[in-house]
């Protein structure tokens, strides 16, 4: 009898603490958390003890309903249930406070700090206690177990939703900035910037998983996986939306943004295994074959695959870009594009190699396939390295062939030869002599080097033949006249013809510049011209020395 009376009095004390005790906005104060937790623990212990003797106690106390042990158990269960709800309300309140506020400014160096240390310490204490509450799986006879389970499930679902939405908001402005800047900065830095954003998303998701595993009231593997799936949903939706915006931008002008796509692809490719591991921790609500990041990577790779054949096609079309007629001896646009392309290639070599491996050897040539006689991949060699060399070879050959084709579209061979020499020497200089990127030399195969050297020699020979052979021919033509007077007249005519032709060459070179941006190469060509023309002029002068007309030979000319 005394024990039951004592239980009733104790129940009134616990009720006062739980229902009307230290509260803030109808929730326990964090400073009074230990007292509140102790009250719930005592009630749980009391329920566990009294439930075994309920029938006996009811007989003893039947004369006084207020002391009926069954009623006491019901009141205790209600108090435990109420205490659990209020503790989860505090849990939700703390999570909500750190999942709101001002998001980081776009462009700010930022890494997400999810919880202040004092809040995290409180939450850990709170979660440690919530995990001890009775559940149907651990306390099947506890009258409040099912309600507590539902309460904790709701709180855990709320945690995942709040943290997922907050992470999405924080990451959204950063992702939008990447897309906005992609059209204003160089393609490769823009692609790498997007890759850094994807890495930030990965870091945030990894950190959130670690916190989730520490702060979930229901810590079973299945519950944790389900909550993580809910947390990731808004973040992965943001990732997909941002990637789609990037891909749409690239598709608007693939030649302009191809290296943006390659740089972004390379960055994401390096993180694929980490993403696969992270996404595998999701619950059964997501099919095992669903991987949003891998799907995004495949979409980006498809755009990259298109860029290779389209670039080669643009080089071929370059021979027809001037309406079928050569109108300038300067650098062709496609030659400049080739050097710019090759300058960027080593910076995204991993992405290019991976994409070419997927595309297949020779398939970048619009279905032409592997050329007969082209070296094939040998066992033990790096497939990506070999395919990259094959692609570089095709870029070099296609560009040189377009230069040759365009040089044949004019009826003025001298101008065509200058155009040919300028463009072939430009390609050779920036690919072999002084590569535009330190790593470029290692990507150019011997076959491409030989092709460049061979065409450079041919271009020089064509230039000499078209511009200076007529001068030599004017001096070497034999006069048929036998009289001294007629021979003297022929000699003067040859000299006049020589200097007329020389004047034409000089006038031509005033506006048809030779190797204008390669001073060393131009000097080398000048020396070869001197070695070609001056000896012929000297031999002619020696042969005609007795002719007084040679006194007329006084001008001094040089290649300008």
């Amino acid at each position: 009898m005394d024990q039951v009376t004592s239980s009733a009095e104790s129940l009134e004390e616990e009720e006062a603490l739980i229902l009307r005790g230290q509260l803030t906005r109808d929730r326990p104060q964090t400073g009074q958390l230990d007292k509140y937790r102790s009250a719930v623990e005592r009630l749980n212990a009391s329920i566990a003890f009294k439930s075994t003797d309920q029938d006996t106690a009811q007989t003893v106390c039947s004369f006084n309903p207020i002391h009926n042990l069954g009623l006491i158990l019901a009141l205790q269960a209600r108090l435990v249930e109420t205490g659990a709800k209020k503790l989860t309300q505090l849990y939700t309140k703390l999570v909500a406070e750190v999942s709101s506020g001002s998001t980081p400014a776009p462009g700010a160096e930022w890494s997400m700090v999810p919880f202040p240390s004092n809040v995290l310490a409180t939450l850990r204490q709170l979660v440690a206690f919530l995990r001890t509450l009775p559940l149907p799986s651990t306390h099947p006879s506890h009258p409040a177990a099912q309600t507590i389970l539902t309460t904790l499930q709701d709180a855990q679902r709320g945690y995942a939703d709040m943290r997922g939405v907050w992470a999405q908001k924080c990451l959204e402005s950063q992702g939008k900035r990447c897309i906005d800047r992609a059209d204003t900065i160089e393609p490769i830095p823009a692609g790498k910037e997007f890759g850094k954003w994807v890495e930030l998303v990965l870091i945030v998701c990894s950190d959130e998983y670690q916190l989730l595993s520490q702060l979930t009231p229901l810590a079973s593997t299945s519950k944790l996986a389900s909550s993580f799936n809910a947390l990731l949903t808004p973040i992965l939706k943001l990732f997909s939306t941002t990637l789609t915006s990037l891909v749409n931008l690239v598709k608007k002008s693939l030649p302009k943004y191809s290296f943006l796509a390659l740089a972004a692809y390379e960055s994401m490719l390096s993180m694929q295994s980490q993403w696969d591991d992270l996404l595998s921790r999701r619950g059964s609500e997501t099919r095992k074959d669903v991987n949003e990041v891998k799907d995004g990577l495949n979409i980006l790779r498809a755009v990259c695959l298109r860029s290779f054949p389209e670039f080669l096609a643009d080089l071929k079309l370059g021979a027809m870009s001037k309406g079928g007629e050569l109108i300038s001896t300067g650098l062709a646009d496609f030659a400049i594009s080739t050097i710019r392309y090759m300058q960027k290639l080593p910076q995204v070599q991993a992405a290019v190699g991976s994409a070419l491996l997927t595309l297949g050897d020779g398939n970048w040539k619009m279905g032409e396939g592997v050329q007969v006689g082209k070296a094939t991949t040998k066992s033990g060699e790096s497939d990506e390295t070999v395919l990259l060399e094959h692609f570089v070879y095709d870029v070099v050959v296609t560009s040189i062939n377009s230069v040759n084709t365009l040089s044949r579209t004019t009826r003025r061979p001298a101008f065509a030869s200058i155009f040919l020499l300028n463009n072939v020497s430009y390609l050779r200089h920036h690919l072999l002599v002084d590569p535009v990127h330190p790593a470029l030399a290692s990507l150019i195969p011997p076959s491409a080097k030989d092709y460049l050297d061979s065409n450079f020699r041919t271009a020089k020979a064509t230039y000499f033949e078209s511009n200076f052979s007529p001068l030599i021919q004017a001096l070497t033509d034999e006069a048929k006249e036998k009289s001294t007077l007629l021979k003297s007249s022929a000699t003067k005519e040859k000299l006049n013809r020589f200097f007329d032709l020389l004047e034409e060459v000089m006038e031509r070179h005033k506006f048809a510049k030779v190797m204008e941006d390669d001073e060393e190469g131009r000097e080398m060509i000048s020396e070869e011209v001197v070695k070609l023309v001056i000896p012929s002029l000297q031999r002619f002068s020696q042969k005609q020395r007795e002719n007084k007309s040679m006194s007329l030979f006084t001008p001094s000319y040089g290649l300008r």
Side-chain angles (χ1 to χ4, degrees), residues 458-479:
T458 301
K460 282 198 305 180
T462 303
Y463 169 71
F464 294 146
E465 174 71 23
S466 300
N467 288 274
F468 300 102
S469 289
L471 277 72
I472 299 173
Q473 186 69 31
L475 297 175
T476 57
D477 286 344
E478 293 294 334

Side-chain angles (χ1 to χ4, degrees), residues 46-63:
S46 178
I47 291 174
F49 176 76
K50 291 184 174 64
S51 59
T52 57
D53 300 320
Q54 182 176 356
D55 292 340
T56 304
Q58 284 179 344
T59 302
V60 174
C61 303
S62 58
F63 68 93

Side-chain angles (χ1 to χ4, degrees), residues 487-505:
K487 285 185 177 180
S488 176
S489 177
T491 298
K492 291 181 180 180
E493 185 178 341
K494 286 182 180 181
L495 285 174
N496 289 335
R497 176 62 178 162
F498 174 85
F499 288 115
D500 287 343
L501 291 172
L502 184 58
E503 191 69 31
E504 288 182 15
V505 171

Side-chain angles (χ1 to χ4, degrees), residues 14 119 125 133 167 174 186 208 214 235 289 336 351 362 433 483 492 503 517 530:
E14 310 296 8
V119 177
Q125 294 179 26
L133 292 175
Q174 310 290 333
E186 287 296 313
E208 287 297 330
Q214 299 174 32
I235 301 176
D289 60 339
I336 297 174
V433 180
S483 67
K492 291 181 180 180
E503 191 69 31
D517 296 326
V530 171

Side-chain angles (χ1 to χ4, degrees), residues 11-269:
L11 183 61
E12 291 178 357
E13 294 177 0
E14 310 296 8
E15 183 179 22
L17 177 61
I18 292 176
L19 297 183
R20 298 181 298 275
Q22 303 288 345
L23 302 176
T24 300
R25 295 182 184 177
D26 202 35
R27 298 178 183 89
Q29 290 183 359
T30 54
Q32 299 293 325
L33 185 58
D34 288 341
K35 293 182 179 180
Y36 202 90
R37 183 179 58 187
S38 297
V40 176
E41 286 176 343
R42 288 193 297 272
L43 287 169
N44 274 325
S46 178
I47 291 174
F49 176 76
K50 291 184 174 64
S51 59
T52 57
D53 300 320
Q54 182 176 356
D55 292 340
T56 304
Q58 284 179 344
T59 302
V60 174
C61 303
S62 58
F63 68 93
N64 191 346
I66 199 168
H67 289 163
N68 184 277
L69 189 55
L71 180 58
I72 292 175
L73 286 172
L75 290 174
Q76 288 177 329
R78 182 175 64 82
L79 288 177
V80 169
E81 179 183 318
T82 301
K85 287 181 178 179
K86 291 195 173 186
L87 288 172
T88 54
Q89 286 173 0
L90 175 61
Y91 169 87
T92 301
K93 171 181 175 289
L94 294 174
V95 173
E97 287 176 352
V98 296
S99 303
S100 59
S102 300
T103 58
E109 289 294 330
W110 171 71
S111 59
M112 194 170 180
V113 182
F115 296 94
S117 57
N118 60 326
V119 177
L120 184 60
T122 301
L123 279 170
R124 282 174 173 162
Q125 294 179 26
L126 188 56
V127 169
F129 176 68
L130 292 177
R131 289 179 176 179
T132 65
L133 292 175
L135 302 175
S137 59
T138 58
H139 299 74
S141 61
H142 196 292
Q146 185 58 49
T147 303
I148 292 173
L149 175 62
T150 302
T151 300
L152 296 182
Q153 285 177 336
D154 291 342
Q156 190 154 316
R157 190 180 303 112
Y159 176 99
D161 291 342
M162 285 187 289
R163 295 306 300 170
V165 171
W166 173 240
Q168 177 199 27
K169 288 181 178 179
C170 292
L171 294 166
E172 187 173 18
S173 59
Q174 310 290 333
K176 186 177 183 301
R177 180 175 183 270
C178 289
I179 303 303
D180 293 341
R181 281 168 50 83
D183 197 29
T184 60
I185 62 176
E186 287 296 313
I188 290 181
K192 290 183 177 180
E193 189 172 283
F194 178 80
K196 289 182 180 179
W197 179 78
V198 175
E199 183 181 13
L200 177 61
V201 176
L202 174 64
I203 292 172
V204 168
C205 291
S206 299
D207 290 346
E208 287 297 330
Y209 179 80
Q210 296 302 321
L211 282 167
L212 183 69
S213 63
Q214 299 174 32
L215 301 179
T216 50
L218 301 171
S220 67
T221 302
S222 60
K223 296 294 184 182
L224 178 62
S226 178
S227 298
F228 188 50
N229 181 65
L231 190 152
L232 284 181
T233 298
I235 301 176
L236 292 176
K237 183 179 179 181
L238 171 65
F239 166 81
S240 299
T241 302
T242 307
L243 180 62
T244 299
S245 298
L246 183 76
V247 170
N248 289 339
L249 175 66
V250 173
K251 287 181 177 180
K252 288 181 180 179
S253 180
L254 187 56
K256 179 180 179 181
Y257 297 114
S258 58
F259 278 96
L260 188 158
L262 286 166
Y265 176 68
E266 183 174 80
S267 297
M268 289 182 59
L269 196 63

